[in-house]
């Protein structure tokens, strides 16, 4: 199955970076994670759904509403508007991310591209301030821009990782970045939840809506302000191709990026083991993302838990994921990232089985399970990212992380689809949850089948001492 391919850039010096530069890189995770937690996880869905219901003629605070809106003349149930937007953003992201990655590899000014994506996304998020009354179309458009820019920024951000340290350093660098992201995202979310709790008024739905809007805006401001740190402390790491273009003063990074992307798509078959790793990641990460997305629904619908329990559990997951990322990062230094990720998938399997047996109306066991998720969540994601950095041909970091981000976000509908189909057949959230075991079991088997050392050598890279 394996073939040894010649890397695109030869005689690449061992990557190195200063502590200041690595800290700057970590801070972009701190900056952007506020969008994931405050906006996507908690506030935007209910906020935009309420605005859409108002546009459909529903009264604010109404428990049920069967109204419709007509974006671009298409009849859409008010409650379906936000899920459809999420699907559309994922669809568009699949086309945007590899192009952004290719442009990043061809540009000698990668930080400018990171700044553009961050400030476009943050600006669109702050623009939610103007989504008042029934302006659901404005809210939908701003969300599409913000979410696509967020994904594109992640691609550029991740493409710095292989350039900040050698093969033995990347697990630790990735884990610290992921840990700081969970800490930053959790901190702003905690502040917003406290503000909503203290400033909200019972029965005043308009005030609740306004507080949600300002919470979303705060995430955009947080994202923009803290992005200034990596823009100041990170150094440019242009590829040899980008430097050649700069010296010759010819070519355009955008058009060259499109051409390079076409060449890469044709040459992907030269790195079958890298693709096989992506397949394994696609499967088990889909299970992880589905657990994250459906945990609140499982808690409310099946376990009949209150909103306060869910809020505490969300915060618990965020802050424990900080320690979990560092803990698994330290373990990877001893036994290797590949073995640590495999171990994390075994732990995820245990989480699913424990969730199936959780008693209803019992907050403490649910919180304990949330704590377990937090400990394993950050590490499994951070180490998957650093493992993939070993499988990228030199000079193509942006492009390959574009494909990686598609595997991360672009296929995250498979798990929810399986969950939904099983629930529809069995009419049980518990059975639906157990159906997710297939993603962790199959993902484990696929990852176990990847000969990591041979895959790293096939990409033209030096394997770390411990895998």
């Amino acid at each position: 199955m394996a073939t040894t391919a010649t890397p695109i850039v030869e005689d690449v010096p061992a990557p190195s970076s200063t502590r200041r530069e690595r800290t700057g890189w970590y801070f972009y995770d701190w900056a952007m994670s506020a969008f994931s937690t405050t906006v996507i996880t908690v506030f935007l869905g209910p906020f935009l759904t309420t605005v859409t219901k108002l546009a459909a003629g529903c009264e604010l605070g109404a428990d049920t509403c069967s109204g419709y809106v007509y974006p671009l003349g298409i009849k859409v149930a008010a409650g379906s508007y936000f899920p459809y937007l999420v699907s559309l953003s994922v669809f568009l992201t699949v086309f945007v991310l590899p192009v952004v990655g290719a442009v990043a590899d061809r540009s000698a000014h990668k930080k400018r591209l990171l700044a553009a994506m961050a400030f476009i996304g943050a600006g669109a998020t702050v623009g939610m301030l103007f989504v008042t009354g029934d302006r659901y179309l404005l809210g939908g458009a701003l969300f599409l821009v913000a979410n696509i820019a967020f994904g594109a920024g992640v691609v550029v951000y991740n493409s710095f990782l292989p350039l900040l340290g050698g093969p033995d350093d990347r697990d630790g660098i990735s884990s610290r970045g992921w840990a700081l992201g969970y800490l930053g995202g959790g901190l702003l979310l905690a502040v917003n939840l406290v503000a909503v709790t203290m400033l909200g008024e019972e029965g005043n739905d308009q005030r609740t809506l306004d507080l949600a809007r300002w919470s979303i805006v705060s995430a955009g401001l947080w994202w923009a302000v803290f992005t200034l740190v990596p823009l100041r402390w990170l150094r440019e790491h242009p590829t040899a191709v980008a430097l050649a273009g700069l010296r010759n003063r010819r070519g355009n990074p955008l058009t060259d990026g499109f051409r390079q992307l076409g060449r890469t798509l044709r040459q992907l078959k030269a790195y079958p083991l890298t693709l096989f790793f992506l397949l394994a990641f696609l499967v088990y990460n889909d299970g992880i993302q589905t657990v994250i997305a459906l945990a609140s629904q499982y808690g409310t619908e099946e376990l009949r838990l209150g909103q306060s329990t869910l809020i505490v559990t969300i915060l618990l997951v965020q802050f424990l994921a900080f320690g979990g990322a560092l803990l698994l990062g330290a373990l990877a230094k001893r036994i290797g990232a590949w073995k640590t990720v495999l171990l994390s998938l075994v732990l995820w399997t245990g989480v699913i089985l424990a969730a199936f047996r959780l008693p209803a109306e019992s907050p403490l066991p649910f919180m304990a399970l949330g704590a377990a998720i937090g400990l394993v969540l950050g590490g499994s994601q951070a180490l998957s990212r650093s493992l993939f950095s070993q499988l990228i041909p030199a000079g193509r970091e942006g492009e390959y992380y574009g494909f990686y981000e598609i595997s991360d976000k672009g296929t995250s509908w498979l798990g929810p689809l399986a969950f939904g189909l099983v629930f529809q057949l069995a009419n049980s959230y518990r059975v639906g949850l157990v159906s997710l075991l297939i993603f962790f079991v199959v993902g484990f088997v696929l990852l176990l089948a990847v000969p990591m050392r041979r895959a790293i050598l096939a990409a033209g890279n030096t394997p770390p001492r411990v895998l």
Side-chain angles (χ1 to χ4, degrees):
M1 182 178 179
T3 59
T4 302
T6 303
I8 187 173
V9 179
E10 297 179 355
D11 302 322
V12 179
S16 63
S17 59
T18 64
R19 183 175 181 178
R20 174 187 172 96
E21 183 181 8
R22 292 192 297 273
T23 302
W25 186 78
Y26 302 151
F27 258 92
Y28 188 70
D29 220 323
W30 170 283
M32 69 175 178
S33 292
F35 180 80
S36 294
T37 54
T38 291
V39 178
I40 300 298
T41 303
V42 177
F43 287 104
L44 185 61
F47 169 76
L48 196 52
T49 299
T50 300
V51 172
T52 307
K53 287 181 177 180
L54 291 174
C58 302
E59 292 186 7
L60 188 61
D63 293 331
T64 58
C65 175
S66 57
Y68 293 88
V69 290
Y70 297 86
L72 304 178
I74 303 170
K75 184 179 180 180
V76 174
S80 299
Y81 181 63
F82 182 68
Y84 286 159
L85 280 176
V86 173
S87 298
L88 179 59
S89 72
V90 169
F91 176 76
L92 295 175
T93 295
V94 168
F95 296 98
V96 172
L97 299 192
V99 175
V100 170
V103 172
D105 290 337
R106 310 289 294 191
S107 173
H109 306 287
K110 192 181 293 190
K111 285 202 302 182
R112 295 181 187 176
L113 186 59
L114 179 65
M117 297 301 102
F119 291 137
I120 288 172
T125 305
V126 172
M128 289 287 179
L129 179 64
F130 302 102
V131 182
T132 57
D134 59 357
R135 296 177 179 174
Y136 77 100
L137 284 176
L138 175 61
L142 289 171
F143 166 70
L144 287 176
V145 171
N147 206 35
I148 293 171
F150 174 81
V154 171
V155 170
V156 182
Y157 165 69
N158 283 343
S159 72
F160 278 93
L161 175 58
L163 311 173
L164 294 177
D168 296 306
D169 304 319
R170 292 176 199 163
D171 295 336
I173 293 172
S174 182
S175 296
R176 287 189 287 274
W178 215 286
L180 198 64
Y182 274 111
L183 187 61
L187 181 61
L188 182 64
L189 178 60
V191 170
N192 281 320
L193 290 173
V194 168
V196 169
T197 302
M198 294 182 63
L199 300 177
E201 296 178 359
E202 187 72 27
N204 189 340
D205 296 310
Q206 183 59 55
R207 189 177 185 86
T208 301
L209 191 65
D210 290 339
L211 288 170
R213 180 185 298 109
W214 279 105
S215 296
I216 293 168
V217 170
S218 74
L221 293 172
W222 178 286
W223 187 0
V225 169
F226 284 107
T227 294
L228 297 175
V229 178
L231 294 182
R232 180 69 183 272
W233 290 357
L234 269 175
R235 292 186 297 113
E236 295 286 5
H237 290 270
T239 63
V241 175
L243 287 174
L246 195 64
R247 285 194 299 268
N248 298 331
R249 295 184 180 277
R250 66 171 183 239
N252 178 285
L254 181 59
T255 55
D256 288 350
F258 272 103
R259 284 195 290 268
Q260 178 58 47
L261 178 60
R263 286 193 291 270
T264 297
L265 288 172
R266 292 191 295 271
Q267 296 168 4
L268 275 175
K269 61 184 179 181
Y271 305 100
L273 296 178
T274 299
L275 289 176
F276 196 70
F277 174 87
L278 273 179
L279 174 62
F281 174 74
L282 182 156
V283 174
Y284 70 74
N285 183 67
D286 209 331
I288 294 173
Q289 297 299 326
T290 305
V291 172
I292 296 170
L294 298 178
S296 293
Q297 184 179 7
Y298 184 72
T300 55
E301 299 296 331
E302 180 67 31
L303 304 181
R304 301 187 294 278
L305 298 173
Q307 191 67 27
S308 59
T309 299
L310 298 179
I311 289 173
V312 170
T313 305
I314 288 172
L315 292 175
L316 196 64
V317 169
Q318 285 294 129
F319 290 114
L320 284 177
F322 166 77
L326 296 178
L327 181 65
L328 290 189
L331 181 63
K333 194 170 184 179
R334 289 180 173 272
I335 69 172
W338 181 59
K339 296 185 186 72
T340 305
V341 174
L342 287 169
L343 174 62
S344 77
L345 296 182
V346 175
L347 296 176
W348 272 110
T349 302
V351 164
I352 296 296
L353 293 174
F356 176 77
R357 299 180 63 85
L358 280 180
E361 300 179 3
S362 298
L364 288 180
F366 185 77
M367 291 180 187
L369 187 68
I373 289 175
L375 288 173
V376 72
L377 174 63
S380 57
Q381 294 177 313
L383 294 174
S384 295
R385 177 172 66 180
S386 59
L387 261 181
F388 186 66
S389 74
Q390 314 281 3
L391 305 175
I392 299 173
R396 297 182 181 177
E397 293 82 8
E399 286 180 77
Y400 275 76
Y401 269 115
F403 295 122
Y404 180 86
E405 192 65 14
I406 289 174
S407 297
D408 186 8
K409 300 293 192 299
T411 58
S412 55
W413 52 272
L414 293 172
L417 176 63
F419 183 94
L421 289 174
V422 173
F423 173 79
Q424 186 168 332
L425 293 172
N427 197 31
S428 169
Y429 284 102
R430 292 183 189 270
V431 178
L433 189 69
V434 170
S435 70
L436 300 181
L437 283 175
I438 189 70
F439 291 91
F440 295 105
V441 173
V442 173
F444 177 92
V445 172
L446 291 175
L447 183 60
L448 185 64
V450 179
M452 286 300 303
R453 191 170 298 277
R454 188 147 50 95
I456 294 169
L457 291 171
N461 297 322
T462 302
R465 288 190 297 271
V466 183
L467 268 176

